[in-house]
């Protein structure tokens, strides 16, 4: 991705947060100089994958396949004293797909916090756990209500949430307006626990065609 695209994606997300009266922690707006001045804290955050994240999954078409995220909190799995949970914000544009992927370890809920409609779809193909629910009668839960997994997209409006079963391939996209969604889960590790159905990449190479607006989480600790 071009740095200018990443900048624009983050600025659009920041504008939505202002519109919806959401506030992020101070490190969300750090400059490169602040990352350098607060290097120990920056490295701590980066080790836990906390901060901004923008990806086109290596496809070169961010509008069609892409996602902007901000990780507010996360732990390091299986390490004493670490938080066993994570929280992210997802900024999902209309028609912008996060492609089919599954998590072997992470169980998560996705909650629509505002904006448009979030569409979530599951497939029984490409499961990454032997105990993944793959039968025709498999269900998940939308705010406690049993919903069939494999009968087409599940549409969620603001305030609704859905549980994503471990091991099951799922994708999502927005309809109507940009969606602000939250992800609440066990510890998140984007390096090793994203298994894409079509073999896509989780991170994007960056073409530095513009100054940095906000560093991504995997850039901060190295400043």
């Amino acid at each position: 991705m071009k740095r200018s695209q990443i900048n624009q994606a983050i600025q659009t997300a920041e504008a939505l947060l202002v519109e919806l009266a959401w506030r992020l922690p101070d490190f969300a707006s750090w400059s490169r100089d602040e990352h350098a001045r607060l290097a120990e804290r920056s490295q701590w955050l980066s080790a836990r994958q906390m901060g901004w994240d923008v990806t086109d999954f290596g496809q070169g078409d961010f509008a069609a396949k892409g996602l902007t995220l901000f990780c507010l909190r996360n732990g390091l799995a299986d390490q004493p004293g670490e938080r066993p949970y994570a929280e992210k914000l997802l900024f999902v544009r209309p028609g912008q797909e996060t492609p089919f992927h599954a998590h072997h370890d992470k169980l998560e809920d996705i909650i629509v916090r505002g904006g448009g409609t979030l569409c979530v779809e599951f497939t029984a193909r490409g499961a990454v756990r032997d105990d993944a629910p793959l039968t025709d009668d498999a269900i998940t839960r939308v705010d406690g209500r049993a919903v069939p997994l494999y009968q087409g997209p599940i549409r969620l409006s603001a305030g609704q949430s859905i549980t994503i079963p471990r091991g099951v391939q799922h994708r999502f996209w927005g309809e109507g307006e940009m969606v602000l969604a939250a992800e609440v889960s066990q510890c998140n590790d984007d390096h090793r626990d994203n298994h894409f159905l079509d073999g896509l990449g989780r991170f994007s190479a960056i073409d530095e065609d513009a100054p940095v607006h906000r560093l991504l989480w995997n850039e901060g600790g190295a400043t």
Side-chain angles (χ1 to χ4, degrees):
M1 289 186 69
K2 293 182 180 296
R3 177 67 70 177
S4 56
Q5 289 180 294
I6 293 171
N7 290 346
Q8 195 271 337
I10 293 174
Q11 289 165 340
T12 300
E14 290 172 329
L16 181 63
L17 290 170
V18 170
E19 178 186 340
L20 298 176
W22 273 73
R23 297 292 295 271
L24 294 182
D26 62 338
F27 64 88
S29 58
W30 281 0
S31 66
R32 185 187 291 274
D33 287 345
E34 286 171 306
H35 277 279
R37 180 170 59 83
L38 301 167
E40 181 179 358
R41 187 175 167 204
S42 179
Q43 290 164 9
W44 188 94
L45 294 166
S46 182
R48 288 154 184 80
Q49 304 181 20
M50 293 169 61
W52 288 105
D53 182 4
V54 182
T55 182
D56 65 1
F57 305 101
Q59 299 305 288
D61 189 353
F62 180 68
K65 285 185 169 63
L67 186 62
T68 304
L69 313 92
F70 187 86
C71 182
L72 294 109
R73 64 200 83 251
N74 193 21
L76 300 173
D78 303 323
Q79 293 202 21
E82 283 287 334
R83 292 172 292 191
Y85 52 83
E87 179 188 9
K88 290 182 178 182
L89 294 179
L90 315 176
F91 302 87
V92 188
R93 300 183 183 205
Q96 184 184 53
E97 177 192 357
T98 292
F100 279 116
H101 63 291
H103 310 294
H104 183 275
D105 300 324
K106 183 174 71 172
L107 183 65
E108 62 184 333
D109 278 9
I110 295 179
I111 310 106
V112 179
R113 296 299 193 189
T117 299
L118 185 70
C119 304
V120 183
E121 185 176 20
F122 298 89
T123 179
R125 295 182 296 130
V128 298
R129 285 176 65 108
D130 292 339
D131 60 351
L134 303 178
T135 60
D136 290 343
D137 61 351
I139 64 166
T140 189
R141 297 278 174 176
V142 173
D143 300 318
R145 175 170 56 91
V147 176
L149 267 184
Y150 303 118
Q151 292 187 15
I154 299 167
R155 287 175 165 79
L156 306 171
S157 57
Q160 291 187 298
S161 65
I162 187 169
T163 297
I164 309 296
R166 288 189 189 92
V168 176
Q169 293 281 345
H170 57 285
R171 65 173 181 163
F172 53 85
W173 64 93
E175 282 186 350
E177 307 171 50
M178 177 177 278
V179 180
L180 174 62
E183 176 190 304
V184 178
S185 71
Q186 294 165 296
C187 287
N188 176 81
D189 187 347
D190 279 323
H191 285 301
R192 70 176 186 85
D193 197 24
N194 288 288
H195 307 274
F196 287 91
L197 184 62
D198 295 324
L200 305 182
R202 172 60 178 81
F203 301 101
S204 302
I206 301 176
D207 175 4
E208 300 290 356
D209 70 326
V212 171
H213 174 60
R214 307 285 186 227
L215 288 174
L216 305 182
W217 68 257
N218 56 353
E219 299 176 301
T223 301

